[in-house]
C-alpha cells in the first residue's frame, strides 16, 4: 500500500467511503462525484499504480475485479440493462 494513495487510504479506513463490497483481494465503493446513475469504483487491495503496470502475475487479480463488477451489477439491478467498465491509465488517460 501507498501512504499517499487515496484508494489505499480508503482501504485502510483512513478516508471515508460508502462500501459496497469487500473481500481479501478487493474493495468496491460508491464514487464521491458520480458521473453516472450507478458509479462504483472497484480497486484491488494490492497497490497497483495503473493498468500500465499490470503483469501476467497480476492477471488473476484483475480477473477477480471484473468478477466483482459482474456480481455488483447483478446486486444493483443493472446487469440486464448493461453497464460500462472503465480503466483510466496515466495522466492523459484521465487517471
Amino acid at each position: 500500500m501507498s501512504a499517499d494513495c487515496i484508494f489505499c487510504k480508503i482501504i485502510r479506513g483512513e478516508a471515508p467511503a460508502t462500501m459496497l463490497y469487500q473481500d481479501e483481494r478487493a474493495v468496491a465503493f460508491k464514487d464521491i462525484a458520480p458521473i453516472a446513475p450507478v458509479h462504483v469504483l472497484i480497486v484491488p487491495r494490492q497497490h497497483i499504480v495503473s493498468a500500465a503496470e499490470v503483469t501476467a502475475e497480476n492477471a488473476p487479480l484483475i480477473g477477480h475485479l471484473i468478477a466483482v463488477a459482474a456480481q455488483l451489477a447483478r446486486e444493483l439491478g443493472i446487469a440486464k440493462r448493461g453497464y460500462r467498465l472503465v480503466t483510466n491509465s496515466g495522466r492523459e488517460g484521465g487517471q
Side-chain angles (χ1 to χ4, degrees):
M1 288 204 187
S2 170
D4 60 342
C5 171
I6 186 62
F7 299 130
C8 292
K9 288 179 181 179
I10 290 170
I11 290 168
R12 289 191 304 262
E14 297 170 1
T18 302
M19 291 291 181
L20 299 175
Y21 177 90
Q22 295 187 61
D23 68 16
E24 68 282 349
R25 296 186 287 172
V27 299
F29 48 91
K30 291 184 177 183
D31 191 284
I32 61 168
I35 58 172
V38 177
H39 189 158
V40 177
L41 300 175
I42 304 168
V43 298
R45 288 185 182 272
Q46 175 186 342
H47 182 79
I48 300 174
V49 174
S50 78
E53 293 194 2
V54 172
T55 64
E57 187 176 293
N58 305 116
L61 175 59
I62 303 308
H64 179 66
L65 299 179
I66 293 171
V68 170
Q71 176 183 331
L72 285 170
R74 289 187 297 273
E75 291 175 4
L76 296 170
I78 61 170
K80 291 183 181 179
R81 291 183 302 179
Y83 56 95
R84 284 182 352 140
L85 298 178
V86 177
T87 300
N88 298 335
S89 184
R91 182 179 204 95
E92 289 186 30
Q95 182 176 3

